[in-house]
Structures are given as structure tokens and as C-alpha cells.
Amino acid sequence: MCRWLAYSGTPVPLETILYRPAHSLIDQSLHSRMGVETTNGDGFGVGWYGPGMDTPAVVRDIGPAWSNRNLQEIAGHVRSPLFFAHIRASTGTAVQQTNSHPFRHGRWMWMHNGGIADFHRMRRDLALAVDPELFLDIEGSTDSELMFFLALTFGLEEDPPGAVARMAGLVERTGHGHGVEFPLQMTIAVTDGVGLWAFRYSSQGASRSLFYSTRVETLRELHPDVAFLREVSDETRLVVSEPLGNLPGAWNKVPESTYGVVQPDGDDNLVHFAPQAA
């Protein structure tokens, strides 16, 4: 599978989150502790929103993140209030740039860990459900990107939770039609550059790991000596596939079948998630 992180809050250099933590995403690319694979070296990507920009910049490559000098260069010079980062372990589709996450369409950005079981058997049926006006924008061959374009088809721009639920509902219905007992495994992050939505769900009820950071004001009280906590706003939050370090009280597991919303005003919440009929 894969590992990913999503950051929202005070603008910081990407390297602050990608490289500096003890168990950073770069460390996880070689030494994942909670993923299906220990090594995630089948490509990587970062996407971020710059000042005054409505659409994100996305940089993706097919090699491992741990040795990529371009990624390190970018991370040391780009500062952003909202960014995604993803390291890939392929579940069968080709290792190519267009299959690396995050995926982008207009102002929207999407990344995924998990998979559609027996994707090759239901790929055609799912692809035919994508809005024809969107279909030509699909560049790669992954189930993750197809899930993104199904969500766009089902109204992601107006209703992100509902669109993801309808996408999940279609995947499960299609999978069951092909005799697949547990079609879907997903942790997903999606953003429009303002809000950030994160989902944890699987058909089997045993989803891949996902965590969110404790509120900064609470962490400051617990760890007044940590400089990073003094430098970022109360609204700063992280959502990660696995914790970036061992700071006590810093990480909370996203419950099974749940999605969360991170918003600039700090009014975050967790909500039960269930697939819906498309």
C-alpha cells in the first residue's frame, strides 16, 4: 500500500514536516511501521497551494523519496499553508509518473492509500460511470485516480463527503456484482485549497491506519519546550497514515468508518461515514 500526510495551518517550509520529524514521511518510505509494506519506493508526490493561487502545484516522480535530491531541494524552498505528500507502494498498476499521487483536477487535490480488490475485473464498469467530460483528463491507470474522477462525477465540488460516499457505494455495488466480497479499502485525503477532508473506510471494517494531530493549544500545555508548537497557529493540523514521532498526546486514531473535516477557522469535526447509492 502507501503512506501519506496532509498539512493545514501556518505556512511552513515543506521540509519541516517531510524531513525533520523523527519518523518523517521520508523515514517511512524506508521504514514504515504500520503499512502493509515496510518499504514504499514506487514513486512519490507532493502538492501545495502557493500564495494567491487557486490551483495547486504538483510534483511527482517514479523513484523512491528517500534518495530524491529534487524533492529535498523543493522541500527546503517551498513554504505553504496547505500541502499533501504521498509515498507509493504499487498494488499492481505500473510504476509511472502519472500513477504517483497526489492527483489534481482544477483546484482539487486527492490522494489515497488502499485499493479496489480485483480492480482489473471491474475497471471497465467503473470507468464507464465517469462523466464523459471528465474522462479525458484521467492520465494514469490506478484505481486511486479513477476513484477521484468518480467522486468528481458524483459532485465532489459541491458536496465532498456525499461524493466520496457515492463513489464508495458504486465501487462496492460493482464489486459485489463481480463476486468480490470486500471490494474497497481506503484512507483518502481531498482538498480544494481551503478545507481538508480525510476518510477512513473499508468494506471489511478493518481499514488502513490513519491519525490526526491533537489541537495545538493542548499540545503547547503538554510540551511547552517544543519550539514548533510555539511557531504555528492554533488551527494547524496534520492527518497522517502513521505518526511522525513519539510525542506523548500528539496523535489520535481516526475511528473506523469515519471522515474528518479540517477548516481554517479551526472548527474541525469527525463524522460517521457510510457508502451511499450512486
Side-chain angles (χ1 to χ4, degrees):
M1 298 296 174
C2 310
R3 304 281 83 184
W4 58 255
L5 70 80
Y7 173 90
S8 175
T10 298
V12 296
L14 272 59
E15 69 174 3
T16 304
I17 307 299
L18 289 182
Y19 284 89
R20 294 182 185 175
H23 190 46
S24 69
L25 200 66
I26 304 303
D27 182 64
Q28 292 175 35
S29 66
L30 275 170
H31 307 295
S32 173
R33 299 168 185 167
M34 298 181 177
V36 176
E37 297 86 5
T38 301
T39 302
N40 297 269
D42 293 330
F44 69 85
V46 291
W48 68 91
Y49 294 83
M53 302 299 293
D54 294 329
T55 58
V58 174
V59 173
R60 302 182 291 177
D61 208 339
I62 61 173
W66 65 76
S67 61
N68 193 282
R69 295 180 65 182
N70 289 330
L71 176 60
Q72 192 164 11
E73 187 76 10
I74 289 168
H77 289 79
V78 170
R79 178 183 294 265
S80 177
L82 199 164
F83 59 87
F84 282 4
H86 187 281
I87 50 176
R88 183 172 183 240
S90 172
T91 55
T93 49
V95 177
Q96 60 191 46
Q97 192 177 80
T98 54
N99 284 346
S100 293
H101 308 221
F103 302 103
R104 173 182 61 190
H105 188 271
R107 72 179 189 276
W108 290 86
M109 197 159 52
W110 171 286
M111 60 185 175
H112 166 238
N113 174 36
I116 296 176
D118 289 330
F119 176 55
H120 65 286
R121 294 169 57 187
M122 61 182 87
R123 180 178 175 182
R124 179 179 181 275
D125 292 346
L126 295 175
L128 289 173
V130 175
D131 185 331
E133 294 187 5
L134 294 170
F135 187 82
L136 292 178
D137 292 330
I138 298 176
E139 297 183 324
S141 58
T142 64
D143 50 359
S144 302
E145 186 180 19
L146 187 53
M147 290 163 66
F148 179 29
F149 277 83
L150 285 169
L152 286 165
T153 297
F154 296 143
L156 182 68
E157 295 185 346
E158 294 78 29
D159 176 18
V164 175
R166 289 185 283 275
M167 176 276 294
L170 177 66
V171 170
E172 291 199 324
R173 180 167 62 85
T174 303
H176 293 155
H178 284 270
V180 180
E181 184 178 7
F182 302 118
L184 185 59
Q185 173 72 244
M186 69 178 207
T187 64
I188 287 169
V190 60
T191 182
D192 60 355
V194 180
L196 164 63
W197 293 263
F199 300 81
R200 182 174 185 242
Y201 175 80
S202 67
S203 305
Q204 196 171 6
S207 301
R208 301 290 180 251
S209 59
L210 193 64
F211 297 82
Y212 65 95
S213 61
T214 300
R215 291 184 178 276
V216 170
E217 60 265 37
T218 301
L219 289 175
R220 286 197 200 102
E221 294 177 3
L222 291 172
H223 307 284
D225 56 328
V226 177
F228 175 77
L229 299 174
R230 299 194 299 268
E231 296 166 358
V232 296
S233 67
D234 291 349
E235 292 74 34
T236 296
R237 299 300 284 271
L238 277 157
V239 185
V240 298
S241 292
E242 58 186 81
L244 304 184
N246 299 317
L247 192 67
W251 302 104
N252 313 275
K253 183 180 292 186
V254 176
E256 185 69 49
S257 300
T258 298
Y259 77 88
V261 187
V262 177
Q263 302 178 89
D265 61 7
D267 186 19
D268 310 335
N269 54 5
L270 292 172
V271 182
H272 177 71
F273 177 84
Q276 299 176 7

